[in-house]
Amino acid sequence: MAGLEPAVAAGLVLLAVAAGIGITAVGPGGVLITVGLFAFTGLPPARVAGTAIVTNVATGVLGTAVYTRSGQLREPRTRRTAALLAVAALVGTPLGVLANGLVTGRAFGVLLGVFIALVAVLVLRRRPPDAGGTGPGNRTGDGDGAGRGIGWPAAVAVGAGVAAVGAMFGVGGPLLSVPLLIALGMPVLPALAAAQAQSVVIAAAGTAGYVAAGAVDWRLAALLGVPELAGVLAGWVIARAVPAAALKGALVVCLLVLAPYVALHG
């Protein structure tokens, strides 16, 4: 980090704020930290993922707290889904850390670009927000289906798979969990809440793995982690006040612009 130019540092901070907003407002968002570190710092894949995943510990805890405060994580079926996702993440996360060590910088860039494009497609295929969406007035997840959970086999499969991919790229659970949970029938706000709880486990277990490998830049993690937390709080407010379609459209455009750039940069 010592050689980081001021303009690059400022750009990374802005990406961190945007990432935090995306985490709690839409779900996908944390990948922006990975993109920024990979594209602008020259760090190898392990340090990119390790540094990025450290920032997800605090954002996951804060995201879990705000969705508990607003009521979604007090609903029994949402808590059950969150618990299943978190337990499964304990299996998937170490596999993702191991997979990261098998890829080169060029391969990591291509895979990250494909991953970003896939996330954009998943977000586009989301169910409409009328069944518990993130539009104004849906503040506590009340209403038909607001507390709907999913079956335990699906929750375990999503939890383990998302954790493996998340740990490999240094991203948290909401990035993939939210679109997948919505596709499986959960309304938006309960899906966001359950994914926040899962992200704490992915981030904590992934951090332990990357710290053991000496693959964390703690100064960069601090530089990005603080503005990302501010973004998490802003995103929670935005999710409860702005129509989901507007949030989704902005995120999809951002992801589709970033995907080819990251793949070519790699």
Side-chain angles (χ1 to χ4, degrees):
M1 180 178 169
L4 206 62
E5 296 181 1
V8 173
L12 289 173
V13 168
L14 290 176
L15 275 178
V17 174
I21 292 173
I23 287 170
T24 44
V26 190
V31 70
L32 295 177
I33 297 289
T34 302
V35 169
L37 289 172
F38 179 73
F40 303 124
T41 66
L43 293 175
R47 289 184 75 82
V48 167
T51 302
I53 208 165
V54 166
T55 69
N56 288 321
V57 176
T59 58
V61 170
L62 183 57
T64 300
V66 295
Y67 276 105
T68 299
R69 182 175 183 273
S70 58
Q72 284 78 33
L73 279 173
R74 296 194 186 101
E75 208 288 325
R77 283 170 292 184
T78 303
R79 285 205 310 267
R80 174 181 174 273
T81 299
L84 289 169
L85 292 173
V87 171
L90 291 173
V91 177
T93 301
L95 297 177
V97 175
L98 291 173
N100 177 279
L102 301 177
V103 296
T104 63
R106 179 172 295 276
F108 185 81
V110 172
L111 290 173
L112 181 58
V114 171
F115 176 61
I116 294 169
L118 173 62
V119 171
V121 171
L122 287 174
V123 174
L124 274 174
R125 289 176 60 85
R126 262 189 184 180
R127 294 175 59 187
D130 55 351
T134 57
N138 188 9
R139 294 183 179 277
T140 64
D142 295 336
D144 293 341
R148 188 185 308 142
I150 60 175
W152 73 263
V156 169
V158 169
V162 166
V165 175
M168 178 178 178
F169 292 110
V171 298
L175 181 65
L176 283 177
S177 289
V178 174
L180 290 174
L181 291 173
I182 292 171
L184 289 168
M186 285 189 75
V188 176
L189 288 180
L192 281 164
Q196 300 304 323
Q198 181 201 21
S199 72
V200 177
V201 177
I202 296 174
T207 294
Y210 284 112
V211 167
V216 175
D217 187 317
W218 291 104
R219 291 178 295 177
L220 267 177
L223 174 71
L224 299 177
V226 174
E228 190 178 14
L229 283 174
V232 166
L233 288 173
W236 176 65
V237 174
I238 291 170
R240 290 147 51 91
V242 177
L247 297 172
K248 182 171 74 172
L251 180 66
V252 168
V253 170
C254 180
L255 292 174
L256 290 178
V257 169
L258 288 171
Y261 175 79
V262 171
L264 293 173
H265 182 85

